């Protein structure tokens, strides 16, 4: 199998109140295409930071992150943004819905932007994630769990090559978590996407192909 | 440290952590206070000066007695008048022979009226009167004047007073005689009581009663001028407060969780409320004080122009240097404190009503409920009804200002609705293929709430500028044409001597360079118990061809020449509601209540005059006012012969050069007065645009942090910061362009109200309403450039630092 995501010698420090904290030291790992990976670790271990580094939202101090042939931190912000727009979908902990658009427009937005909008798949996702009654509502009018499902639908609808999800079931009950897991399975099986999920949920992690644990600034396979 | 102190410190720590917010708060309050306090200082200064002007006037404040020839009066006349029981007091005044700047006023302390305002305000303090009676070397003057006269060694005992205008020295009349080298002479008499019925003595000794302007007259005359300044100052204050509003509200939003925590910790509502109130008072007092300081500087800068305008138009002398008192500082400070409390009211109420476990209405909730909010519609409806009622009422100055206030208020309420309507139409009628464009319009719709106050400030300042500029331009053109028509001849000659006047009437026509001569005579009369001016003139061809008329009947000139037709000025027309065809009867109180019946056959514009006036043919005038004679002459001279004719008249009739006036001089003077009249108004309207763009700048900078967070989902999706920058810029530009478009009709409505209502109620004349699209275009273009700068700067800064902010937004999730 060809590795799709390759992280080499990744170093990242944070500065807070004048003090420096090392998050990652010489981090190395590979993830194959068309697989699902769970990023596991304690709170504050750096799961979200790693997602941001892979997505090109936050810059590393050193090291390389390659997604396919694209060395994401080698290029300009413009090219990085363009790559992200067309290849990566991110599910954020805080959902990141666009406040001025209603639920339906939020779901459609990203896929319409990159012109791979698929109405049938959209309807399928809406039904699967139980969003059909919320379509005309605005983000501030729905609950946190509902917002999270909208964000998941938006990310999956783009059929991304790489899906990065940060605690996607953190605010969901068991029934809705199962629906989300099913949606991820559809994405991987039908559209050959590579999925990386940062999660605390053992149940979600169990169903994924690979489990990586972040501990003491390093990453290891379980 | 007490709990209250800790709370205050806690509140102030927010401002130290957000220095930019603190800066904008200071900027807003200081700017608002600067504008307001400068206008108040100018108005107070003028008021003080009008009161000082009563120095020249005694109990009977409207009348003085002067020599008919305008010459000095012999002291013997004083004795004659007193023997005939005339209640007069002598005044001798004039410029110091070796320093013309200093004006000496000599008064007789024994005959001064004890009931006069002057006596009450000047002498009742500190036993000054007794001192003045005993010591006739006492001289009163303002501190700055004292500094000047000290150098002149006049051997006077100088007493400082703030009651006198600059360069004026009040002394005993005997001292004035010596200082002015006018022994045994009097400039005029002032009346200390009612005028006796028998006035023969006046004619016998060559004196006449002349009406002069009292402080009340001056206040009345300049009322509209000061009201105009106050309105502008207040509008500027409100626009300045818009800056404070967005900053204060943002700071409150950011501290909501801190307030909730404090409540949960057990801090009482009362303590929290009072500490916040104290914080607002302290911040507004400090920044208000800075504003008062700059207001003083601005007032000092504007005052010479204001003084010159008031002096030229109304003949009122105001000091062009400011006097500042602690009371005025305190009064000036009350406005920013009151304003800051007012704009914080909604938040203070929220604090007062809060429960420990309830959260305040979140910012986003307000932000998103906004598009469903139509509460302003009934208010606009009520305002429209109110304005209709006012439009149907008589034209009063206060009501005219009310109309403008209603227009400003309703257009402010209407602007967000208008913006929402336009964007809703775009959103609902056009289906964009690109979701980013769909988002662009929907998000722009939401932006309205965010910057609606700034847009309102912008709209108001542009509308006021367009309105005022359009009115001024209309007036300027009308005034220029009017002036050309009104000044029918190249030369004007005036004299106070009846003999000279008769000679000029009869002889000058023989001079080869004089084409014709037109005597003009003016007197005072009464109509409807109000004073009016009556002008007698020869309705010859030159008048028929040139005299400006706004409404006239058929054969108007014939009716004036041969019948009892008269023309009235607009002031008369609007004040008494008199129209063409109406028969009017004027009464001459000085001539045994003679009544003059006439028919109105025309109405003429009479800009600059504050008195209702009628014009009748000289023949009828002479029949009616037999003891009057023409004292003004319009002289039609051959081209290029002005100097020759002037010399001829000066030599032959012993007329001073200053009494022969060139038409060009009057035009230049009038146009200069015109320019100065509107200097302050124009400066204030320009200042408003600058403040409005500053409001826009400050609100965008203040809210940029929230905006970055709003835009971060798009950035996270992969839309570049560059694209977001362009989108953000385009959104503001779109809203600004709609606002500018909206400002044009509002500005024209303001202009309409100014020309058709305010001018009539304030000055008594109506101005033609003209359109100057090029001028509006210039205002809009300048405003647009200012706006582009004010949106470019925060947008650029926002995106320059946005990566760290956007990352920070996600970092919290680490």
């Amino acid at each position: 199998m060809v590795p799709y995501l390759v992280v080499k010698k990744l170093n990242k420090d944070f500065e807070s109140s004048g003090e420096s904290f090392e998050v990652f030291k010489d981090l190395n790992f590979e993830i194959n295409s068309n697989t699902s990976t769970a990023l596991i670790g304690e709170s504050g271990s750096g799961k979200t930071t790693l997602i941001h580094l892979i997505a090109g939202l936050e810059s590393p101090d050193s090291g390389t992150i390659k997604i396919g042939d694209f060395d994401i931190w080698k290029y300009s912000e413009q090219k990085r943004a363009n790559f992200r727009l067309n290849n990566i979908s991110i599910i954020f902990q805080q959902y990141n819905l666009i406040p001025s658009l209603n639920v339906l427009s939020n779901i459609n937005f990203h896929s319409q932007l990159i012109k791979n909008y698929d109405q049938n798949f959209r309807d399928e996702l809406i039904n699967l994630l139980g969003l059909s009654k919320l379509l005309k509502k605005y983000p501030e009018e729905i609950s946190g769990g509902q917002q999270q499902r909208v964000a998941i639908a938006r990310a999956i609808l783009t059929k991304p090559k790489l899906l990065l999800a940060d605690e996607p079931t953190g605010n969901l009950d068991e029934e809705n978590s199962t629906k989300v897991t099913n949606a991820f399975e559809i994405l991987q099986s039908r559209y050959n996407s590579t999925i990386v999920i940062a999660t605390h949920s053992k149940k979600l992690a169990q169903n994924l192909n690979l489990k990586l644990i972040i501990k003491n600034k390093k990453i290891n396979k379980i | 440290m007490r709990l209250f102190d800790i709370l205050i410190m806690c509140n102030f720590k927010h401002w130290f952590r957000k220095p930019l917010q603190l800066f904008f708060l200071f900027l807003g309050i200081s700017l608002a206070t600067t504008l307001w306090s400068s206008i108040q200082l100018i108005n107070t200064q003028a008021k003080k000066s009008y009161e000082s002007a009563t120095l020249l006037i005694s109990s009977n404040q409207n009348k003085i007695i002067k020599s008919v020839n305008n010459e000095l009066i012999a002291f013997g006349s004083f004795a004659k008048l007193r023997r005939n029981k005339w209640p007069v007091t002598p005044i001798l005044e004039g410029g110091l022979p070796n320093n013309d700047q200093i004006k000496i006023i000599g008064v007789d302390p024994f005959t001064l009226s004890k009931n006069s305002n002057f006596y009450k305000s000047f002498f009742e303090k500190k036993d000054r009167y007794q001192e003045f009676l005993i010591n006739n070397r006492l001289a009163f003057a303002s501190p700055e004047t004292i500094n000047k006269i000290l150098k002149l060694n006049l051997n006077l005992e100088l007493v400082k007073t703030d009651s006198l205008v600059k360069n004026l020295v009040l002394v005993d009349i005997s001292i004035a005689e010596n200082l002015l080298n006018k022994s045994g002479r009097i400039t005029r008499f002032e009346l200390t009581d009612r005028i006796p019925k028998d006035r023969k003595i006046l004619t016998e000794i060559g004196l006449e009663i002349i009406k002069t302007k009292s402080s009340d007259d001056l206040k009345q005359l300049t009322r509209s001028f000061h009201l105009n300044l106050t309105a502008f100052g207040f509008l500027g204050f409100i626009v300045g407060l818009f800056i404070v509003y967005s900053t204060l509200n943002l700071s409150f939003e950011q501290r909501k969780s801190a307030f909730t925590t404090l409540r949960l910790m057990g801090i009482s509502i009362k303590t929290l409320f009072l500490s916040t109130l104290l914080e607002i008072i302290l911040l507004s007092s400090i920044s208000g004080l800075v504003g008062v300081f700059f207001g003083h500087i601005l007032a000092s800068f504007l005052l010479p122009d204001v003084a010159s305008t008031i002096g030229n138009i109304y003949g009122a002398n105001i000091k062009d240097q400011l006097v500042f008192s602690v009371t005025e500082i305190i009064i000036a400070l009350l406005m920013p404190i009151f304003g800051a409390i007012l704009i914080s009211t909604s938040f203070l109420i929220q604090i007062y009503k809060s429960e420990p476990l309830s959260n305040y209405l979140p910012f986003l909730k307000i932000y998103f409920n906004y598009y469903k909010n139509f509460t302003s519609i009934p208010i606009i409806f009520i305002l429209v009804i109110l304005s209709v009622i006012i439009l149907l009422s008589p034209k009063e100055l206060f009501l005219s200002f009310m109309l403008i206030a209603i227009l400003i208020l309703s257009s402010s309420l209407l602007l967000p609705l208008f913006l929402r309507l336009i964007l809703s139409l775009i959103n609902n009628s056009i289906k964009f293929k690109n979701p980013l464009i769909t988002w662009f319009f929907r998000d722009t719709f939401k932006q309205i709430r965010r910057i609606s106050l700034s847009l309102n400030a912008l709209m108001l300042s542009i509308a006021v500028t367009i309105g005022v500029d359009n009115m001024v331009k209309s007036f300027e053109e009308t005034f220029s044409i009017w002036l050309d028509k009104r000044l029918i001849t190249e030369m004007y000659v005036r004299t106070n001597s009846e003999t000279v006047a008769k000679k000029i009437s009869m002889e000058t026509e023989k001079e080869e360079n004089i084409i014709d001569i037109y005597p003009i005579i003016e007197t005072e009369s009464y109509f409807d118990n109000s004073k009016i001016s009556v002008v007698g003139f020869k309705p010859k061809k030159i008048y028929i061809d040139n005299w400006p008329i706004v409404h006239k009947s058929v054969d108007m000139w014939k009716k004036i020449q041969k019948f009892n037709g008269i023309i009235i000025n607009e002031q008369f027309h609007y004040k008494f509601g008199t129209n063409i065809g109406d028969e009017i009867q004027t009464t001459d109180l000085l001539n045994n209540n003679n009544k003059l019946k006439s028919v109105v056959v025309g109405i003429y514009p009479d800009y600059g005059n504050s008195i209702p006036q009628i014009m009748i043919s000289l023949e009828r005038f002479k029949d009616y006012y037999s003891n009057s004679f023409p004292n003004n002459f319009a002289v039609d001279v051959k081209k290029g012969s002005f100097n020759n004719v002037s010399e001829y008249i000066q030599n032959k009739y012993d007329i001073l050069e200053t009494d022969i006036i060139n038409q060009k001089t009057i035009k230049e003077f009038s146009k200069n007065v015109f320019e100065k009249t509107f200097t302050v108004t124009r400066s204030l309207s320009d200042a408003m645009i600058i403040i409005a763009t500053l409001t826009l700048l400050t609100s965008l900078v203040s809210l940029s942090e929230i905006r970055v967070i709003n835009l971060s989902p798009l950035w996270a999706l992969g839309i570049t910061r560059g694209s977001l920058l362009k989108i953000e810029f385009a959104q503001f530009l779109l809203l600004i362009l709609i606002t500018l478009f909206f400002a044009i009709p509002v500005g024209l409505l303001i202009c309409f109200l100014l020309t058709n209502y305010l001018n009539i109620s304030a000055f008594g004349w109506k101005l033609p309403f003209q359109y100057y699209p090029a001028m509006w275009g210039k205002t809009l273009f300048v405003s647009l450039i200012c706006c582009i700068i004010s949106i470019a700067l925060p947008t650029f800064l926002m995106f320059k630092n946005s990566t760290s902010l956007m990352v920070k937004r996600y970092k919290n999730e680490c």
Side-chain angles (χ1 to χ4, degrees), chain A residues 185-208:
Chain A
E185 280 170 7
I186 292 170
L187 183 69
Q188 194 190 344
S189 59
R190 200 186 295 170
Y191 301 106
N192 301 325
S193 296
T194 305
I195 300 171
V196 179
I197 302 171
T199 184
H200 280 115
S201 164
K202 283 180 185 171
K203 195 181 172 191
L204 179 63
Q206 268 172 7
N207 296 323
L208 306 182

Side-chain angles (χ1 to χ4, degrees), chain B residues 616-636:
Chain B
I616 65 173
S617 72
L618 199 64
E619 282 67 32
R620 285 193 70 215
F621 189 99
K622 280 180 180 168
D623 289 347
Y624 185 69
Y625 301 99
S626 51
N627 53 355
S628 299
F629 62 94
N631 51 359
N632 273 300
F633 297 90
V635 186
D636 197 9

Side-chain angles (χ1 to χ4, degrees), chain A residues 166-186:
Chain A
D166 192 1
E167 296 287 358
T169 56
N171 284 312
L172 301 180
D173 54 44
E174 207 166 308
E175 189 188 334
N176 279 312
S177 294
T178 311
K179 284 177 183 172
V180 170
T181 310
N182 293 340
F184 287 152
E185 280 170 7
I186 292 170

Side-chain angles (χ1 to χ4, degrees), chain A residues 30-193:
Chain A
E30 289 178 355
I31 291 172
N32 290 336
S33 64
N34 192 20
T35 58
S36 57
T37 304
L39 284 179
I40 308 164
E42 291 172 1
S43 290
S45 60
K47 297 189 294 295
T48 302
T49 305
L50 188 57
I51 296 268
H52 291 169
L53 288 165
I54 296 168
L57 295 171
E58 209 170 326
S59 62
D61 297 329
S62 63
T64 56
I65 299 169
K66 263 190 170 181
I67 302 164
D69 293 330
F70 192 78
D71 189 343
I72 197 157
W73 285 103
K74 210 177 173 182
Y75 294 96
S76 65
E77 197 211 332
Q78 172 96 29
K79 284 191 176 166
R80 220 166 40 240
N82 198 39
F83 180 81
R84 186 163 67 242
L85 183 68
N86 289 294
N87 298 283
I88 306 174
S89 277
I90 313 162
I91 299 163
F92 292 96
Q93 263 186 55
Q94 296 301 323
Y95 333 123
N96 265 4
L97 297 182
I98 298 163
S100 46
L101 298 179
N102 64 21
V103 166
L104 184 64
S105 301
N106 259 293
I107 294 171
N108 294 342
F109 189 74
H110 194 173
S111 59
Q112 282 178 335
L113 212 57
I114 56 172
K115 297 186 176 111
N116 74 344
Y117 174 64
D118 179 343
Q119 195 168 332
N120 294 331
F121 186 38
R122 183 202 71 182
D123 294 342
E124 186 185 346
L125 282 173
I126 287 171
N127 288 330
L128 178 67
L129 297 170
L131 299 171
S132 50
K133 287 180 182 169
L134 308 173
L135 298 178
K136 286 186 177 172
K137 296 199 174 209
Y138 281 85
E140 85 280 0
E141 296 171 326
I142 58 177
S143 72
Q146 287 168 332
Q147 286 189 50
Q148 194 158 34
R149 279 181 283 145
V150 175
I152 291 166
R154 179 181 68 183
I156 294 176
L157 186 61
T158 61
K159 303 166 192 169
K161 287 188 183 130
L162 176 64
L163 177 80
L164 299 168
D166 192 1
E167 296 287 358
T169 56
N171 284 312
L172 301 180
D173 54 44
E174 207 166 308
E175 189 188 334
N176 279 312
S177 294
T178 311
K179 284 177 183 172
V180 170
T181 310
N182 293 340
F184 287 152
E185 280 170 7
I186 292 170
L187 183 69
Q188 194 190 344
S189 59
R190 200 186 295 170
Y191 301 106
N192 301 325
S193 296

